[in-house]
Each structure stands twice: as C-alpha cells, then as structure tokens.
Amino acid sequence: MDRKRATLIGLAAILLWSTMVGLIRSVSEGLGPVGGAAMIYTLSGLLCLVTVGFPDIRRFSPRYLIAGSVLFVSYEICLALSLGYAATRAQAIEVGMVNYLWPSLTIVFAILFNGQKSTLWVIPGLAISLLGVCWVLGGEQGLHLDEITRNIVSSPLSYALAFAGAFIWAAYCTVTSKFAKGQNGITLFVLLTALSLWVKYALSDQPDMVFTLPVVVKLVMCGVALGLGYAAWNIGILHGNVTVLAAVSYFTPVLSAALAAAVLNSPLSFAFWQGALMVCAGSLLCWYATRK
C-alpha cells in the first residue's frame, strides 16, 4: 500500500477513536452503563472479525495471550464504565481526560520495563500531564483543591476507573511491545471484552435497555468507530509513517473533548481547554524525551 495513503488511514483511526467518549456516554444513557458497553463491544467485535479477522491463537506466546487479554479487557471495561457511571455529561468528558494520562504513562512504563532510552525531559512531561488533569478536574476555577475534591467525591467510582484504566492501558502497550512479536489479538480481545460485560450484565441488577432511534444510531456509530478504528490503525502502523501517527495521536485529548462536547451538547470551560492542552503538551514532551 502507498505510504501516504496508509498514513491517512491511520489518521482516520485517531479521528474515529476521538468520537468514543461522547458516543459511549450517549449509548450508556439509553442502554445503561453495562448493557450499553456490552452492545458496543459486541458490535465492534463482529466488525473486527470482518475487517481484521480472527487471529491464529496458536501462534501467540502464552504471556501475550494471557497478559494481553486480561489487560485489554480490564482497560476497555474501565473506560466504558467510567464514562457510563459519571454523574453528568460534563463529568463524563472530564473522566475521559483522566483516561488520557495513558500516553505519558506508556512512555514511563517503556523506560522502566522495556529499556527505552530517554532524557530527563520525561519528568516534566509527566508532571505537566498530571497538572493538566488536575486543572481539568478543578472546573472553571482551574487548579483549585476544594473543587477537585468535590468533583471526585461526587462520582468516585467513575474517576477511580478512569485513573486505573490509564495505568492498565500503559501496561497493555508495554506488554504488547515486548511479547506480541508481530501478532495482533485485537479481535479476540474485543470479543472477550463483550463476553465479560454480558456476564456482568447477567449476574448483576441492571436497568432495562431502552432502544430508541437516537440511541441505536449512536450505538452503530460507536461500534463502527471502535471496530474500524482498530483496522485503520493496524494499516497505518504497518504501512504508514509511524512518526507522524505517533505525534498526531498525542493531540487526541483535545480532539476527543471537542467532539464529545458537540455530541453531548455540553459546553466546556476555558479552564478545561487549558488543562486539555497541558495533557497534550506533557504527552508530547514525554515522547520528545525518547526521540533524543
């Protein structure tokens, strides 16, 4: 495939994934946090079967198969439920920003566990990302400890899941880089995520799923964004300009917040955008530290 076209396809994956926060929240409002997530990952898994195909598990190393599946499923459940359990739409967007600590954490994990060479710029990079998240959680006042505490206390499970998810995805990226050896288990992992969510739905008391036309449309959009996103990213990584894709991906927090605000009709404060830009800047600085 032409390198430029493959890069554009990879960039399309970033755009598709940036819609996830707003769409997951919209679906969860109609189908419930667990039921909505189960439907999303079921549809996405079926799309992955068509676009990526089912992997030959026999070729996977046991460490990649076990660690990769556990970490992937755990992260996706944390992400979907953190958005679904958020008290308000605006809070769901804030929770999504907490999740975007993972790019900086991924680089830190690569340095600690995979021997990635880096300069000391990674330290201020991580600090700026953390500061950006705190700035977002402070609401319209920016970095304000009382407001941050009030925000987290209002929906502790949601924020805890998002924060845990950032660490889990960083661990998943580290494990994949070390043990995958060119194998791609995305289809299997997405289907396992759907299965896990259906088990939770069956074994716990969940609200009824109400299928309205707007919810169904957003469910299809979300499933397509997730399923095609993985397929497009795979093409971009294999045949495109990886450096361009990596650099652009660090601006995902701002793009994701903008699209979520539009989908959820939830305007965001100036302080939120300041914090989002800090998260992006911190991630880019961490990435720059590994390029020198």
Side-chain angles (χ1 to χ4, degrees), residues 20-97:
M20 294 300 296
V21 170
L23 291 175
I24 289 176
R25 174 65 187 193
S26 296
V27 173
S28 70
E29 290 178 351
L31 307 182
V34 178
M39 288 295 297
I40 289 169
Y41 286 96
T42 299
L43 179 58
S44 298
L46 294 176
L47 280 170
C48 284
L49 280 173
V50 175
T51 56
V52 180
F54 196 81
D56 184 357
I57 301 175
R58 295 170 299 179
R59 300 176 64 182
F60 288 9
S61 71
R63 287 181 291 186
Y64 173 57
L65 179 61
I66 296 171
S69 59
V70 170
L71 290 170
F72 184 95
V73 171
S74 299
Y75 167 74
E76 297 294 347
I77 290 176
C78 283
L79 173 62
L81 296 188
S82 67
L83 297 172
Y85 286 143
T88 64
R89 289 182 167 187
Q91 195 174 79
I93 301 175
E94 292 179 1
V95 165
M97 193 57 60

Side-chain angles (χ1 to χ4, degrees), residues 107-122 286-292:
I107 292 174
V108 173
F109 279 28
I111 295 169
L112 295 176
F113 303 114
N114 284 358
Q116 172 69 54
K117 301 297 183 182
S118 172
T119 67
L120 291 177
W121 281 109
V122 72
C286 287
W287 174 74
Y288 174 77
T290 65
R291 305 292 297 173
K292 300 298 289 182

Side-chain angles (χ1 to χ4, degrees), residues 123-185:
I123 297 174
L126 181 60
I128 292 172
S129 291
L130 289 169
L131 178 63
V133 168
C134 292
W135 206 278
V136 165
L137 297 184
E140 295 183 1
Q141 302 182 58
L143 191 62
H144 193 281
L145 185 59
D146 290 342
E147 188 63 29
I148 293 172
T149 303
R150 191 180 304 113
N151 220 346
I152 295 174
V153 169
S154 68
S155 190
L157 179 59
S158 183
Y159 286 105
L161 287 171
F163 193 67
F167 280 87
I168 292 170
W169 190 251
Y172 170 79
C173 294
T174 304
V175 166
T176 300
S177 174
K178 194 168 186 178
F179 299 133
K181 298 178 180 177
Q183 299 302 312
N184 183 4

